[in-house]
Amino acid sequence: MKLIKESFLKTCTPTSSKAGKWLKSWTAVIKYSEWKNINDLQKVYPSAGSVKVASGRSVSIFNVCGNDYRLITAIHYDKQRVYTLEFLPHAEYDKNKWKQNL
């Protein structure tokens, strides 16, 4: 997979933090993955899910550090691309306001 907007992840949280270390590890996994669908994704990240947003498109959600944060991405399996969209604390994610922006 090709990671789009990797620089965005570096602005989310300090790399020395628990979440920063998780994002660094996630980035490495993404770059070496060749998922064809969400089932392939869930073999590596069982808690990852798909959510439909206001635009009618689906985004993929990753639980970061147990349940402290959510990483929202758009995965284009056919093009082997992962777009980073949002990184939110769990409480902010639960408000669902982010769905209107995507």
Side-chain angles (χ1 to χ4, degrees):
M1 292 285 207
K2 180 171 174 64
L3 184 58
I4 310 298
K5 295 201 304 188
E6 183 176 351
S7 60
F8 164 76
L9 296 176
K10 295 175 183 171
T11 66
C12 293
T13 186
T15 54
S16 61
S17 70
K18 185 177 175 183
K21 290 175 184 175
W22 188 96
L23 289 172
K24 185 176 180 179
S25 173
W26 178 86
T27 298
V29 170
I30 292 299
K31 289 180 177 182
Y32 293 102
S33 297
E34 293 183 17
W35 301 316
K36 295 190 180 357
N37 54 47
I38 190 136
N39 294 328
D40 288 349
L41 166 65
Q42 289 177 327
K43 289 176 186 173
V44 179
Y45 292 100
S47 64
S50 182
V51 174
K52 196 164 277 223
V53 293
S55 67
R57 295 185 172 111
S58 292
V59 296
S60 296
I61 311 293
F62 293 86
N63 296 329
V64 178
C65 296
N67 238 354
D68 294 342
Y69 302 93
R70 294 286 198 260
L71 175 61
I72 304 167
T73 67
I75 301 178
H76 296 240
Y77 297 101
D78 59 334
K79 296 177 184 173
Q80 291 292 292
R81 291 186 182 151
V82 178
Y83 295 84
T84 57
L85 303 174
E86 296 276 351
F87 183 78
L88 302 170
H90 189 218
E92 191 66 29
Y93 170 85
D94 277 348
K95 293 178 184 176
N96 288 324
K97 292 179 183 177
W98 59 271
K99 288 181 181 179
Q100 301 307 313
N101 298 332
L102 301 176

